[in-house]
């Protein structure tokens, strides 16, 4: 893009300045040697000129290097925002991915016989933008899983879909879903942010659903930490890199 082109152009200019500085420094060294040996009695003027040129180029070099650092900071921020935007779009697409079965069930929520249909995982929880990329990996296609009260409600929904020949959907029955909560043995590591489920805001009533989807996933700062931790949890970095509980990467 345009930012990368600007960085490349400035880097080329820096390389040219480095070359010119090297040449001037060599010239300065020769003039200095001549002055010391007495071969050039009038060498103070040329030496001063070279020193001034070197000082000027060094200032120009420092200015361009500072400019490149500023541009790189802007580029990093834009890349981070782009990753967050892509993650948000992916979550939205997973929730509205043309899965007609999910859409049809959600339309039934207002009907008395389907009042125990609560919504998808994507609809019922939210997290800080800082964790969106990691959460997108943690949730995957389970963002479209529909949370319902119990197996009976899930069965009614499945029968409805079959009768209408609409398709399939996955359901999490709050009263019947099995999950294991194990957050007591986490290592004390400064780069371990925490369990994914603990970084999501949701109504406490939906805890079984969110524990089922996110409870066995840890969010960490970087891949080195994810690889280093010896825990029976899936580890996901803020950038979305995944290390499975089996250490598959």
């Amino acid at each position: 893009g345009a930012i990368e082109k600007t960085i490349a152009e400035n880097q080329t200019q820096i390389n040219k300045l480095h070359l010119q500085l090297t040449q001037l420094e060599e010239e300065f060294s020769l003039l200095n040697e001549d002055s010391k040996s007495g071969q050039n009695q009038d060498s103070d003027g040329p030496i001063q000129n070279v020193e001034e040129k070197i000082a000027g180029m060094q200032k120009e070099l420092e200015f361009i290097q500072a400019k490149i650092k500023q541009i790189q900071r802007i580029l990093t921020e834009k890349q981070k925002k782009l990753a967050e935007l892509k993650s948000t779009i992916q979550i939205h697409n997973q929730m509205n991915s043309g899965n007609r079965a999910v859409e049809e069930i959600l339309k039934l929520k207002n009907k008395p016989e389907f009042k125990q249909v609560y919504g998808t995982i994507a609809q019922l929880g939210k997290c800080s933008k800082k964790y969106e990329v990691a959460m997108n990996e943690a949730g995957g296609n389970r963002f479209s899983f529909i949370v319902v009260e119990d197996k009976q409600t899930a069965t009614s929904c499945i029968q409805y879909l079959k009768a209408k020949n609409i398709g399939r959907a996955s359901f999490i029955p709050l009263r019947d879903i099995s999950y294991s909560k194990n957050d007591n043995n986490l290592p004390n590591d400064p780069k371990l942010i925490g369990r994914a489920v603990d970084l999501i805001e949701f109504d406490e009533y939906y805890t079984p659903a969110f524990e089922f989807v996110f409870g066995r996933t840890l969010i960490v700062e970087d891949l080195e930490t994810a690889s280093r931790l010896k825990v029976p949890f899936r580890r996901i970095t803020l950038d979305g890199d995944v290390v499975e509980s089996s250490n598959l990467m």
Side-chain angles (χ1 to χ4, degrees):
I3 293 178
E4 289 89 342
K5 185 179 178 183
T6 303
I7 290 175
E9 288 172 351
N10 279 292
Q11 191 60 56
T12 300
Q13 194 170 350
I14 283 176
N15 293 339
K16 287 180 180 178
L17 284 170
H18 273 304
L19 180 61
Q20 291 173 11
L21 273 171
T22 300
Q23 291 171 342
L24 282 170
E25 284 167 354
E26 288 175 357
E27 184 180 342
F28 177 77
S29 179
L30 288 171
L31 285 168
N32 221 10
E33 287 176 9
D34 288 348
S35 176
K36 287 177 181 178
S37 64
Q39 293 179 18
N40 190 348
Q41 301 296 328
D42 301 318
S43 61
D44 287 348
I47 288 175
Q48 186 177 350
N49 288 340
V50 172
E51 285 177 334
E52 287 172 358
K53 284 181 183 178
I54 289 174
M57 283 190 176
Q58 284 173 336
K59 282 184 180 178
E60 189 176 352
L61 189 61
E62 288 169 5
F63 173 77
I64 295 172
Q65 286 173 332
K67 189 177 175 183
I68 283 182
K69 284 182 181 178
Q70 183 183 11
I71 293 170
Q72 285 173 332
R73 277 197 299 269
I74 293 170
L75 180 61
T76 300
E77 287 171 8
K78 286 184 180 294
Q79 287 172 335
K80 186 179 178 181
K81 286 180 181 178
L82 179 61
E84 289 173 352
L85 181 60
K86 283 181 178 177
S87 177
T88 303
I89 290 170
Q90 284 174 348
I91 292 172
H92 182 270
N93 287 343
Q94 285 165 349
M95 181 180 155
N96 305 282
S97 60
N99 187 335
R100 191 178 162 211
V102 174
E103 292 170 1
E104 288 298 321
I105 293 299
L106 295 179
K107 287 177 185 176
L108 300 175
K109 284 170 59 178
N110 296 325
K111 293 188 175 184
E113 61 269 38
F114 290 98
K115 65 181 180 180
Q116 291 183 318
V117 172
Y118 301 123
T120 62
I121 288 292
Q123 290 175 322
L124 299 175
K126 63 178 181 178
C127 71
S128 166
K129 281 191 173 294
K130 179 180 179 181
Y131 306 125
E132 277 188 353
V133 174
M135 290 302 175
N136 181 52
E137 291 298 327
N141 65 351
R142 289 172 291 183
F143 277 110
S144 64
F145 284 13
I146 301 171
V147 180
V148 297
E149 180 64 22
D150 49 32
K151 286 196 291 187
Q152 184 179 342
T153 307
T155 300
S156 297
C157 292
I158 292 168
Q159 288 173 342
Y160 176 87
L161 293 173
K162 283 184 176 179
K164 299 288 185 181
N165 196 28
I166 294 172
R168 297 176 181 274
S170 295
F171 299 88
I172 302 176
L174 292 175
R175 291 185 183 273
D176 306 288
I177 195 70
S178 297
Y179 67 91
S180 59
K181 183 177 180 180
N182 181 10
D183 58 354
N184 298 323
N185 299 316
L186 295 182
N188 184 16
D189 191 296
K191 292 191 174 183
L192 167 58
I193 297 168
R195 293 194 312 147
V197 68
D198 297 328
L199 303 173
I200 302 170
E201 294 179 34
F202 55 86
D203 190 300
E204 188 179 352
Y205 190 74
Y206 305 128
T207 296
F210 282 89
E211 282 285 353
F212 172 74
V213 174
F214 298 101
R216 303 291 297 177
T217 299
L218 302 181
I219 306 301
V220 300
E221 288 190 11
D222 50 47
L223 189 57
E224 190 276 329
T225 306
S227 302
R228 172 168 43 81
L229 291 177
K230 305 300 181 187
V231 289
F233 289 87
R234 193 179 190 216
R235 287 92 74 194
I236 300 180
T237 71
L238 291 175
D239 291 331
D241 296 317
V242 180
V243 178
E244 300 290 350
S245 56
S246 63
N247 290 321
L248 177 70
M249 299 173 71

